[in-house]
Amino acid sequence: MRQIFTVLHKEVANTCLCNLGLTDSRRFSTKCKGMPAPRRGGTPALRLLSVAIMLMAAEMTHAQVRRENLYEFSLPRMGTILRVKLYAGDQNEAHRAANAVFDRVEELEEIFSDYRDDSELTKVSQEGAVAPRVVSPEMFELLAASQRISELSGGAFDVTVGPVVALWRAARKTHALPDAAAIAKAREAVGYQYVELNTQNRTVFLKHTGMKLDAGAIAKGYAAEQGVALLRSRGFSRALVAAGGDLFIGAPPPGKPGWEVAIDSPDLSNGSRACTVLLHDVAVSTSGNAHQFADIAGKRFSHIVDPSTGKGLEGEASSTVIAPDGATADGLATALSVMPPEQGLKAAESLPGVSAYLIRQSSTGWRYYSSPGFPQGCHEAGKGGH
Ligand code: AMP
Ligand code: MG
């Protein structure tokens, strides 16, 4: 599989790499980036004071210059690599915190995976058309966010696209295009309008039989945000969690205005078009066909499908969205991949705190589109769009 486009966090220099063995036999990899070493002991003036005062002062000095290192951990989760980066006082506390994030994301995977027969999502797909079904708060929240993005994007994003996605997943293996009749049949059971949510009872009802929910375009961003929220609740606010191309970014690293996020371009002929933005306390997601696609009959089809045609998207492209929350960034990045660029940018800009950056291959070359709210660093990269 080719890796031509990633949103990645660039926090390099002075890194040391080590592996930690875990009690449950999983392995983390961790990198720690050294901050300036704390001063040991008291100042000459302090040494002249009494022992009691010296101890108090030493304690204060230690707290004030508490050493914070950058620790990195990664494990496979949600069909991708989940990375946790956090600043912490020592490796053990960082390790425990990252472990809690991996466990939380595993819980979310048990809720949202459409690959698992026993996930809550699979059960909703199987039984949601029989009668309204009470779902977990997480499921309800994610489906409510999905519906909002579907309405905003006119159905370009659709969490019910599962039957069509199943055909394209098969096509990736067989290298044969799904036939038109199969696509038409699958599309009958696709439609976010068939999903009925009842906020009071926290129920989901599917108003059509044969529906198959697919949260693959929104759950990773949600999970990344949940991971950072968990770290924050444990006092690690300077952190980021990345589920593949879906990142949630917490408070900036010590002494810096933000985390550097590099947005690479799928335009391999001109790598310099890649740009870097400084971010904190936001979600950023990128969708494209860099990692998952099917090459069939000389054409490349993305794993993203247009629900209105049931076809996999063609052509190299990427869509990056910055949003206050992870579900919106992730879901909208997928929606914008399907929508015409200008229309997509308008949809993104209609939401507070949301901005987008799009790269499209056209018959006349590469086109770059950036909404005015997108952070400095990428506007200059592309000459196209507005
Ligand atoms: P992402 O990488 O976030 O763009 O999500 C892509 C995944 O979402 C695919 O692998 C499918 O499982 C699913 N998907 C594909 N097309 C759509 C769509 N138009 N709306 C919602 N989900 C989709
Ligand atoms: Mg997405």
Side-chain angles (χ1 to χ4, degrees):
M1 226 176 264
R2 212 155 57 105
Q3 182 165 333
I4 56 169
F5 185 68
T6 51
V7 170
L8 49 92
H9 162 244
K10 281 202 306 193
E11 181 75 17
V12 286
N14 304 332
T15 54
C16 60
L17 183 67
C18 48
N19 280 317
L20 293 179
L22 292 176
T23 45
D24 62 359
S25 82
R26 287 176 302 182
R27 289 187 80 78
F28 282 87
S29 72
T30 173
K31 274 185 188 168
C32 44
K33 185 186 156 201
M35 296 289 290
R39 278 161 51 197
R40 287 169 198 238
T43 64
L46 280 174
R47 279 191 213 108
L48 299 173
L49 299 175
S50 71
V51 174
I53 294 172
M54 260 180 72
L55 281 175
M56 274 173 59
E59 199 139 295
M60 274 176 58
T61 307
H62 180 72
Q64 280 158 7
V65 294
R66 191 177 122 94
R67 185 189 171 106
E68 286 227 308
N69 291 323
L70 173 62
Y71 295 95
E72 296 184 26
F73 304 86
S74 56
L75 272 182
R77 284 283 183 280
M78 299 185 108
T80 186
I81 298 297
L82 188 78
R83 289 179 293 145
V84 176
K85 301 191 179 204
L86 73 155
Y87 281 86
D90 73 65
Q91 189 158 298
N92 286 338
E93 67 177 14
H95 190 174
R96 277 195 299 276
N99 209 4
V101 172
F102 289 117
D103 288 348
R104 175 64 182 140
V105 173
E106 198 166 307
E107 277 171 19
L108 294 174
E109 207 174 343
E110 279 161 18
I111 295 174
F112 296 125
S113 174
D114 62 311
Y115 285 90
R116 296 187 184 189
D117 290 342
D118 58 348
S119 74
E120 186 179 357
L121 191 87
T122 301
K123 292 203 177 103
V124 173
S125 294
Q126 287 168 348
E127 296 160 22
V130 178
R133 190 185 163 90
V134 178
V135 295
S136 63
E138 292 92 338
M139 176 67 80
F140 198 86
E141 196 182 350
L142 201 75
L143 290 180
S146 296
Q147 295 298 81
R148 285 195 294 274
I149 296 167
S150 289
E151 276 157 25
L152 179 72
S153 67
F157 171 94
D158 195 324
V159 77
T160 71
V161 79
V164 171
V165 169
L167 294 176
W168 285 92
R169 279 188 194 154
R172 269 170 77 175
K173 291 191 187 129
T174 59
H175 296 283
L177 285 177
D179 70 70
I183 289 181
K185 178 97 190 73
R187 280 193 58 231
E188 284 173 13
V190 175
Y192 67 95
Q193 303 91 336
Y194 302 142
V195 179
E196 194 174 273
L197 301 179
N198 182 317
T199 312
Q200 258 176 356
N201 306 334
R202 215 173 67 220
T203 56
V204 179
F205 180 51
L206 304 180
K207 296 191 279 182
H208 201 289
T209 48
M211 289 177 73
K212 187 174 180 327
L213 304 183
D214 179 343
I218 190 167
K220 288 198 282 290
Y222 179 81
E225 179 176 352
Q226 293 266 312
V228 169
L230 191 146
L231 292 173
R232 274 189 181 136
S233 74
R234 292 177 166 228
F236 302 99
S237 58
R238 301 181 189 283
L240 79 75
V241 174
D246 300 297
L247 284 70
F248 197 92
I249 298 168
K256 292 190 181 172
W259 296 79
E260 273 184 34
V261 177
I263 300 167
D264 292 344
S265 172
D267 174 6
L268 293 178
S269 64
N270 187 354
S272 63
R273 290 272 181 102
C275 55
T276 301
V277 290
L278 267 183
L279 299 175
H280 66 88
D281 301 294
V282 285
V284 56
S285 283
T286 295
S287 273
N289 48 358
H291 305 289
Q292 294 191 56
F293 49 80
D295 283 326
I296 306 169
K299 285 187 177 171
R300 173 152 297 176
F301 296 91
S302 166
H303 66 309
I304 299 170
V305 301
D306 181 345
S308 70
T309 61
K311 296 212 173 116
L313 302 182
E314 287 181 64
E316 299 284 358
S318 76
S319 308
T320 298
V321 172
I322 294 175
D325 69 279
T328 300
D330 188 357
L332 210 50
T334 306
L336 265 54
S337 300
V338 177
M339 297 167 83
E342 288 85 0
Q343 201 181 318
L345 286 188
K346 271 205 191 102
E349 285 160 23
S350 73
L351 297 177
V354 175
S355 59
Y357 177 62
L358 313 175
I359 307 176
R360 297 284 182 274
Q361 192 182 31
S362 76
S363 51
T364 53
W366 291 93
R367 303 242 332 141
Y368 292 68
Y369 306 81
S370 186
S371 70
F374 203 81
Q376 288 303 313
C378 289
H379 296 280
E380 307 75 25
K383 305 280 181 266
H386 65 283

